[in-house]
Amino acid sequence: MTARSDTAAAVAAHRDQSHPDSDITPVSPPRPRRLLVEDVMSRDVVTVAPTATFHQMIGLMRRHEVSALPVVDDNGTLLGIVSEADLLAKESPPPPRRRWVPEGSQAGARRRKAGGSVAADVLSAPAISIGPRASLPAAARLLEHHRIKRVVVLDGDDQMVGIVSRRDLLAGFNRSDTDIRSDVIEGVIPRWLMIDPAGLKVEVHGGVVRIEGTVDLRSDADILAHLVRGLDGVVDVDSAVTYRLNDRDVALSRELHID
C-alpha cells in the first residue's frame, strides 16, 4: 500500500469514528446563533408622505434624531427615501444650466432636488432594500456597494418592517468575550466540526480569539479558524492549532459504487 493510500485510509477511519451512527439525525445546535438584520434593525421607522414639506421633514429629522425618512404612499408602499444629503441640495444649488451643454442624470437629479419643495421632489428612488433574514455581513456589503448609510428592510410582501443603518450593523461586535468563547467551545468545535473541545484551549480578549491545541486533521485546523472568524463579535483569530495528519493531498475517489 502506498503512502497516499495509507493516508486516505487513515482519514476514512477518522471520519468513521467521528460519525459512529449515520442514521442519527443531529440536533440543531443552540449556538452559535448568527445575528440577522431583524435582530438589529430599527422597527419604529419615521416615515413621511410624498407631500411632506421641507420644514416638516427637517423638523422630523431633528425631533427623532434620524438622518433619513422613507417616503410611503397611503397604502404604505415605499416610494423612496429622503436623506440629509437630498435636502442639502437646496443649500447649494447647481449653477444655472447652459442650454447647449448636455446635462447628465446626476446633475439633473441634483437640479430637480434643489428646486423641489416636497418629499416627492427630492426623494431618492428606488430605495435600496434588504430582507429581515439577511445576515449582517450581507447588509454591510450592500451599504458599501451603494455607498449609503442605511437600507430599508422589506418583508416578503414588500412591506417595510424596519430600517438598518451602519451603526445598527456594529451591534454584532457588541458581544462579550464570554459569549464569543461559548460560541466556539459549545458550538463551532463540538457541533460544527464534531471535535472534542477538551483538546483545545480557547481564550478571547477584546474580541480576539486565541486557539491552541492539536486536532487530527489539517483540514479541521484550517476550517476552524475560518469558522471562528465568521462569528458575530470576532475581531480577529490567532490560531496556533496543529494537526496529526495532513489530509490536504488525499485524492478522493470519483467512482460511484452501486450495490
Side-chain angles (χ1 to χ4, degrees):
M1 183 178 290
T2 65
R4 181 179 294 273
S5 60
D6 286 340
T7 304
V11 172
H14 169 75
R15 293 304 185 191
D16 290 342
Q17 292 173 2
S18 300
H19 306 276
D21 190 349
S22 58
D23 294 332
I24 298 178
T25 302
V27 179
S28 300
R31 31 184 350 132
R33 193 261 187 193
R34 300 297 306 275
L35 290 175
L36 304 176
V37 166
E38 64 183 2
D39 297 319
V40 302
M41 69 183 185
S42 300
R43 298 177 182 273
D44 297 328
V45 183
V46 183
T47 63
V48 295
T51 55
T53 66
F54 254 72
H55 285 179
Q56 289 173 332
M57 290 186 286
I58 293 173
L60 285 172
M61 287 183 178
R62 283 185 171 182
R63 191 177 314 127
H64 295 279
E65 297 182 345
V66 295
S67 60
L69 300 167
V71 183
V72 297
D73 62 14
D74 294 337
N75 297 321
T77 302
L78 181 66
L79 303 178
I81 191 167
V82 174
S83 67
E84 292 173 330
D86 295 321
L87 298 180
L88 280 174
K90 179 72 74 174
E91 282 291 331
S92 57
R97 181 188 175 191
R98 298 180 180 181
R99 296 183 181 274
W100 61 87
V101 178
E103 187 173 49
S105 59
Q106 292 184 347
R110 185 183 174 194
R111 189 177 302 279
R112 172 179 58 82
K113 293 179 181 181
S117 59
V118 296
D121 298 330
V122 300
L123 61 78
S124 295
I128 306 302
S129 64
I130 197 169
R133 301 291 295 174
S135 67
L136 300 194
R141 288 192 294 269
L142 192 64
L143 294 181
E144 183 178 3
H145 176 73
H146 292 281
R147 298 181 179 180
I148 53 180
K149 296 181 179 180
R150 85 285 301 166
V151 61
V152 179
V153 185
L154 301 181
D155 63 13
D157 297 322
D158 287 335
Q159 293 297 305
M160 185 173 59
V161 294
I163 192 168
V164 64
S165 66
R166 292 175 179 176
R167 181 179 300 179
D168 295 327
L169 296 180
L170 291 177
F173 289 98
N174 190 28
R175 302 186 69 223
S176 68
D177 291 343
T178 301
D179 283 344
I180 295 174
R181 183 175 184 275
S182 295
D183 279 353
V184 177
I185 64 175
E186 296 177 20
V188 174
I189 297 176
R191 295 181 179 272
W192 289 5
L193 290 181
M194 296 185 179
I195 296 175
D196 185 0
L200 297 170
K201 179 181 179 182
V202 179
E203 296 180 345
V204 185
H205 299 287
V208 178
V209 182
R210 168 73 177 180
I211 311 176
E212 301 177 0
T214 302
V215 296
D216 288 337
L217 304 179
R218 178 174 181 174
S219 58
D220 287 338
D222 292 341
I223 198 173
L224 174 57
H226 174 74
L227 292 175
V228 172
R229 186 171 282 107
L231 295 176
D232 291 323
V234 173
V235 177
D236 197 6
V237 177
D238 180 13
S239 178
V241 177
T242 58
Y243 52 87
R244 300 182 182 89
L245 180 65
N246 184 1
D247 60 331
R248 173 174 289 183
D249 299 326
V250 174
L252 299 179
S253 174
R254 296 180 179 270
E255 296 179 358
L256 177 63
H257 297 280
I258 301 177
D259 295 331

